[in-house]
Amino acid sequence: MPVIRTSEAVTHEIHGARFVSYATPRTGSKELCAWRGEIPPGTRAPAHTVSREEIFHLLVGELVVTLDDRTDRITAGDTLIVSPGATLTVENPTDQTAISWVTTSIGLEAELADGTRLTPPWAN
C-alpha cells in the first residue's frame, strides 16, 4: 500500500498558485492523480481549458470560479465538477489563502487562451 507522506509531496508553483502533488504515476497511482492547491489572496489564474474531468473541492476559503460562461462564488466544503473541454478561471478575491483538493485522471492537459498547451507535472 503506497503511502505518500506530506514530506514526500512535490511542490510546483505556476501563475501565482502552489500545487502540492501527492498521487501521480511516480508515486504509484495507475489511473488518478490528486493534489492540494494553494491559491493566495488576490490571485487570478488564467482561463484554461482542461482535457480531462476534474473534481475540485474547496477545503478552506472562498473563490470566484468561472466555468465556461457561468461565474459562481464557492466556499469551503463546495465541490466543482469540471467536464473535459470546459474552460475554467479561478480567482481569490479575499485576504485569505484558499486551499483546494483536486482529483483527475492521469494525462490531464490544459490549454490557455493564447493556445499554449500545458502538461502539469502534478497531474501526470
Side-chain angles (χ1 to χ4, degrees):
M1 169 177 68
V3 175
I4 294 79
R5 308 279 179 205
T6 299
S7 61
E8 299 169 331
V10 178
T11 300
H12 307 272
E13 295 189 19
I14 186 171
H15 302 295
R18 176 178 289 154
F19 302 87
V20 185
S21 177
Y22 291 89
T24 69
R26 287 179 297 229
T27 60
S29 181
K30 302 290 185 234
E31 296 180 17
L32 301 174
C33 49
W35 63 89
R36 184 181 74 236
E38 301 171 4
I39 303 102
T43 299
R44 179 178 167 86
H48 57 286
T49 302
V50 297
S51 64
R52 310 236 181 205
E53 182 177 68
E54 283 187 350
I55 305 301
F56 183 103
H57 180 75
L58 191 58
L59 298 168
V60 174
E62 201 173 312
L63 294 170
V64 173
V65 294
T66 302
L67 188 57
D68 292 327
D69 295 326
R70 181 178 172 179
T71 300
D72 283 294
R73 184 174 290 269
I74 62 172
T75 59
D78 292 345
T79 299
L80 180 67
I81 299 172
V82 183
S83 297
T87 299
L88 175 67
T89 304
V90 176
E91 179 179 3
N92 182 351
T94 74
D95 60 359
Q96 175 185 12
T97 296
I99 299 173
S100 64
W101 184 257
V102 181
T103 303
T104 189
S105 55
I106 292 169
L108 173 80
E109 292 183 335
E111 184 173 340
L112 302 179
D114 68 0
T116 301
R117 294 189 68 80
L118 300 174
T119 302
W122 57 87
N124 287 282

